Amino acid sequence: MCGIVGYAGEEEAVRVLLKGLKNLEYRGYDSSGVAIADGTHLFLEKKAGRIENLERAIDPNAAKGTCGIGHTRWATHGAATDENAHPFFSRYAKFAVVHNGIITNYLALARFLGERGVFLTSDTDSEVVAHLIDYYYTGDVLSATLRAVKDLNGSFALGVVSVYEKDVVYGVRKDSPLVIGRGKKGNFICSDLSGISEDCEDFYTLANGEIVRLTPREIRLFGFDGKERSFSFEKTSGLDLAKKTEGAESFMLSEIREVPTSLAMTIESYPEEEMKRLLSGKIGRFCLIGCGSAYHAALLFQAAMRELCGVRTEAYVASEFLTERWDPSGDPLVIAVSQSGETADTLQAVRKAKSGGAKVLCVCNVRASSLVRLCDAALITRCGVERAVAATKTYAAQAIHLLRLALTYAEISGKMKNEELALYKKELALLPEKAQEAIELEGYLSDVCLRVRDAEAVFFLGRNADYYAAKEGSLKLKEISYVYSEAYPSGELKHGTLALMEKGVYAFMISTNPALHEKNASSVAEVKARGAGAIAVTNESAAGLFNADYAIAIPDCPFVFSPVITCIPMQFFSYFTAKYRGCDTDKPRNLAKSVTVE
Ligand code: M6R
């Protein structure tokens, strides 16, 4: 995981790097650091905790130079301490290195170095890289880096500076993302474009096995074989940087409020003809892959295909897909869902599916991502950048693309009558408007959370598509507020979990299928009879059926579509619970926005 940035230009590097790191903080925020190369020596500062700690620690008079590298960390190997923060120096501070990824053979490499009298000062897997480059250096930094890279197993994006070359930054990529940016005032490397897009006009995404040498005026690309390669830039124009909405306290809150716009933009961009062509091909089965919220969005496609088309699909948590013996026969269309397009488990799962010959479509929010490049076709969600760690607007947008895709399949496969299809399409088009109505619930949810913020646990309940929505509600609450939470099919409650219902515990019921309201209302009654509290999100038409402590009515819509709307009150619920418990709603503990390690 982690974010790396490098700069060679005409501005003070420390300022540029700190700006880049702030943009990349969503990739990890356990520690951060910078190394500045002034041509004769390397300046280093690194600190555990948020970037503000680093900023405070940097002595502006010492951090002089227009070339450097920076890092923001999500700890994998070694605790979140100053010592384990990047960059790492080699012996005698000749090289400084930042790393994103995991060096899987670092213990063997540390032994190799130890036998030669070089000992590590940190608990990380990354530090060995700086020492190896130093070990192999015989007068040429590029050659030494290429030689060191040969010894590394695992995944890595690296940034390297040294005392040997003035104004030169190296960037290296294998299985962890890295882009080059070209701007008016200098050149960059960065884990992804969001770190540098404001200052760059053009970018190039490094392929695996490439190394770039940047100076303020020149960018040269090489393969791991040392041969120089030609490459061409793409324009960064049109890339959207998320800004806090005026008056909003956090990215998460702004991003929840942006759900309706994201839905509208995403529906509008749906490439109907392209998807019709894709789905008219030979498809024997559908298989979905995703992690976290993206997996929960995939489940909504599963429900829609089952309920609307009578077609069974398989939905996998990507890391589980990797553990199973997956049978690629029967012409599967694999659909990979990911906000970032950089999630390592999802990328690996796609590689596995492709190696079995499967065609892969992705649903992704970042066009310039590794996932989009890897897949045969892409449905891009139009949310702009999502900065809060919790997926909000992107979950809703993934859902709407997938639901539209299910309707396209219903159409071309003749699984649905024309009139019915027209009705569903009309209902889908109304979702952004209905989402806007749900946004009006913000004040009410804030009041509810003031009363239930001390809940010991919250169980999210639902049936069918509402159960899938419940899974997302539960994930959101636990990741942001650290309140213990699980999702259960309502009918499953009496098979064990009811034992946990008591005062101080809440059930959060989602019931949007009129055929299931009565059953769900009984589940609420059973919960309340044991002293637990109840919150119910239902259709407007069902208001009054549920004897809940707090009732939240959302606009009526076909029940397989309703997760696009019910997610909004659940997102507000998590946000306000977290806020009133004093949690950081944008950067919850132990997490990062982009999970780029398996
Ligand atoms: O970028 P991706 O959509 O692939 O990320 C997948 C998950 O890591 C992500 O959805 C995570 O579960 C969110 N923090 C949930 O809010």
Side-chain angles (χ1 to χ4, degrees):
M1 235 125 88
C2 314
I4 68 177
V5 60
Y7 173 72
E10 49 189 68
E11 297 203 54
E12 282 295 335
V14 70
R15 194 196 60 75
V16 178
L17 295 174
L18 284 170
K19 180 176 167 193
L21 290 181
K22 282 181 189 161
N23 287 333
L24 289 176
E25 215 181 357
Y26 72 92
R27 299 179 69 95
Y29 34 80
D30 286 331
S31 65
S32 58
V34 291
I36 313 285
D38 70 0
T40 51
H41 86 291
L42 297 176
F43 165 87
L44 176 74
E45 190 57 80
K46 49 189 195 173
K47 276 275 165 270
R50 301 290 164 86
I51 291 176
E52 295 79 62
N53 296 357
L54 173 68
E55 231 170 347
R56 272 195 297 274
I58 290 175
D59 171 1
N61 298 318
K64 290 284 179 208
T66 58
C67 161
I69 51 177
H71 187 272
T72 179
R73 177 169 187 245
W74 182 80
T76 58
H77 296 63
T81 59
D82 291 355
E83 294 72 30
N84 291 334
H86 301 219
F88 290 105
F89 269 168
S90 64
R91 258 201 315 181
Y92 313 123
K94 300 295 184 199
F95 291 90
V97 169
V98 288
H99 167 224
N100 170 32
I102 293 183
I103 308 296
T104 48
N105 60 336
Y106 79 102
L107 288 174
L109 294 171
R111 251 191 326 272
F112 170 86
L113 290 162
E115 281 157 16
R116 283 148 188 86
V118 181
F119 300 100
L120 306 190
T121 57
S122 75
D123 306 318
T124 69
D125 56 321
S126 309
E127 189 187 344
V128 291
V129 183
H131 295 297
L132 277 179
I133 297 174
D134 187 41
Y135 175 73
Y136 288 121
Y137 179 74
T138 54
D140 181 59
V141 179
L142 177 62
S143 307
T145 308
L146 286 169
R147 179 61 195 83
V149 157
K150 271 196 184 149
D151 289 353
L152 305 179
N153 292 344
S155 58
F156 48 88
L158 304 170
V160 182
V161 288
S162 76
V163 294
Y164 297 114
E165 290 183 312
K166 186 167 160 47
D167 287 343
V168 182
V169 176
Y170 289 89
V172 185
R173 177 185 183 175
K174 187 197 158 244
D175 290 338
S176 289
L178 195 66
V179 296
I180 308 169
R182 186 169 63 178
K184 282 208 172 79
K185 294 188 172 165
N187 296 319
F188 299 80
I189 52 165
C190 197
S191 294
D192 67 57
L193 267 176
S194 67
I196 51 173
S197 60
E198 270 177 274
D199 297 311
C200 287
E201 289 164 350
D202 310 296
F203 74 99
Y204 168 77
T205 306
L206 266 82
N208 270 336
E210 287 186 335
I211 174 163
V212 62
R213 183 181 189 277
L214 294 183
T215 72
R217 286 157 304 280
E218 188 185 59
I219 301 175
R220 295 175 68 191
L221 188 73
F222 303 85
F224 280 3
D225 56 6
K227 291 201 181 104
E228 188 153 3
R229 292 184 176 181
S230 58
F231 67 102
S232 42
F233 281 105
E234 291 173 55
K235 289 273 161 226
T236 54
S237 49
L239 291 167
D240 200 8
L241 264 184
K243 303 217 164 29
K244 278 190 190 178
T245 308
E246 206 60 40
E249 302 144 43
S250 78
F251 280 118
M252 184 177 174
L253 186 58
S254 308
E255 287 161 3
I256 300 171
R257 291 173 182 162
E258 283 166 25
V259 169
T261 321
S262 301
L263 289 174
M265 306 263 289
T266 300
I267 299 186
E268 206 179 301
S269 71
Y270 180 76
E272 177 140 34
E273 292 313 313
E274 188 192 338
M275 288 304 116
K276 277 187 176 161
R277 273 195 304 280
L278 180 79
L279 296 181
S280 307
K282 205 169 169 213
I283 298 174
R285 46 193 267 247
F286 291 87
C287 170
L288 286 100
I289 293 167
C291 302
S293 298
Y295 166 68
H296 295 154
L299 288 173
L300 303 181
F301 181 77
Q302 188 174 62
M305 289 292 278
R306 195 175 55 214
E307 302 305 319
L308 304 180
C309 306
V311 170
R312 293 224 154 249
T313 64
E314 311 147 54
Y316 290 92
V317 168
S319 54
E320 283 298 295
F321 181 81
L322 290 169
T323 66
E324 284 187 24
R325 188 169 132 186
W326 185 67
D327 177 6
S329 65
D331 302 308
L333 176 68
V334 171
I335 305 175
V337 187
S338 170
Q339 180 281 128
S340 61
E342 302 297 347
T343 301
D345 290 331
T346 308
L347 290 171
Q348 268 310 94
V350 168
R351 288 186 193 109
K352 175 173 167 175
K354 285 195 75 114
S355 69
K359 192 167 254 192
V360 187
L361 164 71
C362 67
V363 179
C364 188
N365 197 42
V366 184
R367 189 179 285 284
S369 63
S370 307
L371 182 65
V372 172
R373 276 194 305 279
L374 195 60
C375 290
D376 302 291
L379 277 172
I380 305 294
T381 49
R382 305 293 169 131
C383 304
V385 176
E386 187 176 65
R387 291 211 176 261
V389 164
T392 52
K393 57 181 179 174
T394 56
Y395 163 79
Q398 287 162 353
I400 208 158
H401 254 343
L402 287 165
L403 293 170
R404 186 71 184 81
L405 190 71
L407 290 183
T408 304
Y409 186 72
E411 184 170 357
I412 59 141
S413 62
K415 299 268 182 199
M416 204 186 258
K417 293 202 186 75
N418 285 348
E419 314 79 69
E420 206 185 349
L421 187 70
L423 205 73
Y424 273 107
K425 280 190 178 173
K426 199 169 146 206
E427 285 288 350
L428 195 95
L430 290 173
L431 289 177
E433 227 172 86
K434 293 184 177 177
Q436 190 55 50
E437 284 180 47
I439 292 288
E440 309 302 322
L441 293 165
E442 180 180 330
Y444 179 64
L445 263 304
S446 168
D447 288 348
V448 172
C449 292
L450 273 176
R451 296 193 189 112
V452 308
R453 64 179 163 189
D454 294 326
E456 283 157 29
V458 180
F459 291 88
F460 286 77
L461 307 172
R463 291 168 196 254
N464 200 317
D466 287 335
Y467 166 54
Y468 299 154
K471 287 171 87 75
E472 173 60 9
S474 171
L475 172 65
K476 208 95 309 172
L477 184 70
K478 68 186 112 185
E479 78 176 317
I480 296 299
S481 71
Y482 324 137
V483 172
Y484 179 73
S485 174
E486 291 300 335
Y488 279 96
S490 315
E492 187 65 8
L493 204 60
K494 56 188 177 294
H495 296 288
T497 311
L498 202 55
L500 296 177
M501 294 300 158
E502 59 181 348
K503 200 165 180 296
V505 170
Y506 278 84
F508 195 118
M509 172 65 76
I510 302 130
S511 185
T512 66
N513 183 348
L516 299 172
H517 285 329
E518 280 186 10
K519 283 188 170 170
N520 286 334
S522 301
S523 301
V524 168
E526 288 159 15
V527 162
K528 290 207 67 178
R530 272 84 192 170
I535 301 159
V537 174
T538 65
N539 313 111
E540 271 160 5
S541 54
L545 281 184
F546 290 79
N547 182 22
D549 301 293
Y550 305 100
I552 299 154
I554 56 137
D556 290 353
C557 68
F559 92 95
V560 284
F561 291 176
S562 63
V564 172
I565 311 295
T566 53
C567 69
I568 295 171
M570 287 193 281
Q571 290 168 0
F572 281 136
F573 183 73
S574 312
Y575 172 78
F576 286 113
T577 304
K579 179 179 161 178
Y580 298 140
R581 290 172 80 104
C583 306
D584 184 332
T585 53
D586 284 342
K587 297 187 185 102
R589 70 185 182 202
N590 304 342
L591 299 179
K593 181 77 178 158
S594 261
V595 187
T596 57
V597 290
E598 270 186 60

